[in-house]
Structures are given as C-alpha cells and as structure tokens.
C-alpha cells in the first residue's frame, strides 16, 4: 500500500523517550516501520518504552541511558550510534518560578536540558557524519516563548525561544548537506510534566477551558506531526515550526 509517511528503512534516535511526548514519538515511529534508538536518564522507564515498540521482541530497537546535560555522557551516546536518518530532540523540563525568584543556577539547569543538550547532540552527530544525507532533525519546542508565555514561565519560555532561533539557523547551515531541521510547537499536552503538585489538577482543568477545542493535546498527536517531518513526505520542508495547539494562539 502506498504510504508517503512510511519510516521503513529509517533509523531514528529519540531523546527524552522515557515518558510523555518522547515515549509516544518512539512508539508511533516504530509502528511506521522505523528502527528506534531511545535515550533518557531513567533506565526503568526506558525499558518500559522499549517493550512497547513494535518488533521490540525481535531486538530491532535499543536504548541508551544518557543525561544530555552531561557532556561526557553526551559524547558517549554519540560514539555508540549507527548512521541515523532522523533525530528527535524531545528531552525537556520545566521549572515554574516567578521571574523575581529566578537564579542563574536554575536558568542553567533549564537551558542545559531544553537547549544546550539538544543543540550539542545535533552538532556532534553532524561533525561525526552520523546523519545520512536527507536526514531529518526535529526539535520539540513549544508555543511558550514563541507565541506566548505564562506566569512563572520565563525560564521555560526563554529556552524554547532559543530552540526556535536555533532551528532557523541550523536549517540554513545544514541545507547544503541535505539535512532538514524543523520544529513542533505544541500547546499544553496531557503528560506527567506537572505531577510534582506545584500546579493542581483543578488549575489544569480550568486552564484547558481556554483552548477552543476545550482540551489539552495528546502525546500521540504530537507524534503524528513528528512522523510527517521525519518522513519523505516533508522532503521540501526545512526551517519550519508546526503549530499544534488546539487553537489556543488564535485567541
């Protein structure tokens, strides 16, 4: 059956694959035929993700434990990789703190994971020629810092705004190599990112009412966009950001 979105024959690395959006992307890409390499900091959660990948029992996929904010672990991760057709930079974190209480250490922590780790991983892969010609790099960004922000969201917004600027410059620099670079800007996605209790369930339910579609997005809905950007269906797309926000930024 003809399918322009197939990922058959492609090897794709997904960071932050131990939960949420990264986990969904890894699972959905495996269902589209890709060989998946997943990475994250929690081996137990990574093993849970690995078990859910299509054909995982046949040893088609693998996992690598690594903290992208740790330079030595970042290099070790890259050194053990095969040639890749796709990279999805999904590792991320949030730390809701009002701006007047932001510290340099907190900023460095958020940027270390949301920006520097992803940027340096991509650079290492390019320098080591581990990305195939016509490879696709996808960053999971956010509407925050690009289209809007929120109370206590200055650090997260700044890191995602930086990611979007990086995408534009990388797309230009890597175009001669045939490597495409794009991003996805989701609105609020229903994941475990706020399970630490600083934002209550009632507050989240009230916030969801602000979306024209009256709900948060699902991790799988971001994964479908990633599949498009990783597939040959998007062969003429680079330097773009797909907005997936349930209509939030229309208001």
């Amino acid at each position: 059956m003809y399918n322009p979105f197939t990922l058959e024959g492609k090897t794709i690395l997904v960071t932050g694959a131990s939960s949420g959006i990264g986990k969904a992307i890894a699972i959905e890409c495996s269902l589209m035929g890709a060989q998946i390499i997943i990475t994250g900091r929690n081996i137990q959660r990574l093993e849970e993700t690995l078990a859910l990948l299509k054909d995982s029992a046949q040893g088609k996929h693998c996992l690598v434990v690594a903290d992208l904010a740790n330079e030595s672990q970042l290099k070790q991760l890259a050194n053990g990789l095969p040639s890749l057709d796709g990279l999805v930079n999904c590792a991320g974190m949030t730390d809701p703190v009002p701006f007047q209480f932001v510290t340099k250490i907190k900023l460095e922590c958020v940027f270390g994971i949301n920006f520097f780790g992803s940027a340096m991983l991509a650079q290492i892969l390019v320098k080591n020629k581990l990305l195939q010609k016509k490879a696709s790099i996808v960053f999971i960004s956010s509407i925050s810092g690009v289209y809007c922000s929120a109370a206590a969201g200055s650090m997260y917004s700044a890191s995602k705004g930086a990611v979007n600027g990086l995408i534009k410059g990388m797309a230009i620099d890597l175009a001669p190599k045939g490597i495409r670079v794009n991003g996805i800007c989701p609105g609020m996605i229903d994941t475990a990112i706020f399970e630490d209790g600083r934002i209550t369930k009632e507050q989240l339910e009230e916030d969801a009412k602000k979306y024209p579609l009256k709900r948060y997005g699902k991790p799988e809905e971001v994964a479908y966009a990633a599949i498009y950007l990783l597939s040959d269906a998007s062969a003429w797309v680079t330097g773009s950001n797909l907005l997936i926000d349930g209509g939030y930024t229309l208001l």
Side-chain angles (χ1 to χ4, degrees):
M1 181 184 294
Y2 173 68
N3 182 2
F5 304 100
T6 182
L7 299 179
E8 289 284 349
K10 294 183 183 294
T11 301
I12 297 169
L13 171 65
V14 182
T15 74
S18 58
S19 63
I21 294 173
K23 181 177 182 178
I25 289 174
I27 293 170
E28 296 300 324
C29 285
S30 76
L31 291 171
M32 296 301 291
Q35 177 184 0
I36 306 297
I37 303 169
I38 57 175
T39 186
R41 295 178 293 182
N42 188 309
I43 187 169
Q44 181 178 350
R45 290 183 179 180
L46 285 175
E47 288 175 343
E48 291 172 358
T49 299
L50 186 66
L52 294 172
L53 304 184
K54 183 183 179 183
D55 298 328
S56 62
Q58 285 71 47
K60 182 177 181 179
H61 317 289
C62 66
L63 66 84
V64 182
V65 179
D67 182 351
L68 299 191
N70 184 303
E71 187 174 352
S72 63
Q73 291 186 34
L74 191 64
K75 291 180 179 178
Q76 288 176 3
L77 167 65
N79 289 338
L81 293 173
S83 184
L84 300 172
D85 301 284
L87 164 65
V88 183
N89 277 313
C90 193
M93 67 163 291
T94 184
D95 186 8
V97 175
F99 177 73
Q100 57 268 41
F101 301 112
V102 166
T103 65
K104 184 178 180 181
I105 292 175
K106 287 182 178 293
L107 272 171
E108 289 174 343
C109 182
V110 172
F111 267 78
I113 295 176
N114 291 1
F115 179 77
F116 289 112
S118 297
M120 298 315 298
L121 174 59
Q123 186 189 62
I124 290 171
L125 297 181
V126 171
K127 283 187 172 183
N128 292 351
K129 298 182 179 179
L130 289 172
L131 289 170
Q132 297 266 24
K133 188 174 178 64
K134 297 184 179 180
S136 173
I137 299 174
V138 180
F139 288 86
I140 304 302
S141 184
S142 173
I143 60 172
S144 184
V146 182
Y147 298 94
C148 59
S149 190
S154 59
M155 293 193 294
Y156 183 78
S157 294
S159 69
K160 293 302 184 177
V163 166
N164 277 48
L166 180 70
I167 289 168
K168 301 296 185 184
M170 283 179 63
I172 295 170
D173 291 342
L174 299 183
K177 299 180 181 293
I179 298 172
R180 299 181 294 111
V181 187
N182 294 286
I184 299 172
C185 290
M188 186 69 80
I189 303 299
D190 189 6
T191 68
I193 195 168
F194 289 118
E195 282 189 350
D196 61 5
R198 279 182 284 185
I199 297 178
T200 67
K201 179 181 178 181
E202 290 73 22
Q203 287 174 315
L204 291 173
E205 289 175 348
E206 189 64 27
D207 185 63
K209 296 177 183 178
K210 299 176 183 177
Y211 286 71
L213 294 181
K214 302 303 178 185
R215 67 172 177 87
Y216 289 154
K218 300 175 183 178
E220 293 79 11
E221 291 169 323
V222 180
Y224 302 149
I227 288 170
Y228 166 67
L229 292 174
L230 291 165
S231 74
D232 293 341
S234 61
W236 207 49
V237 179
T238 195
S240 70
N241 278 288
L242 292 183
L243 177 62
I244 302 177
D245 72 342
Y248 183 85
T249 55
L250 292 173
L251 302 179

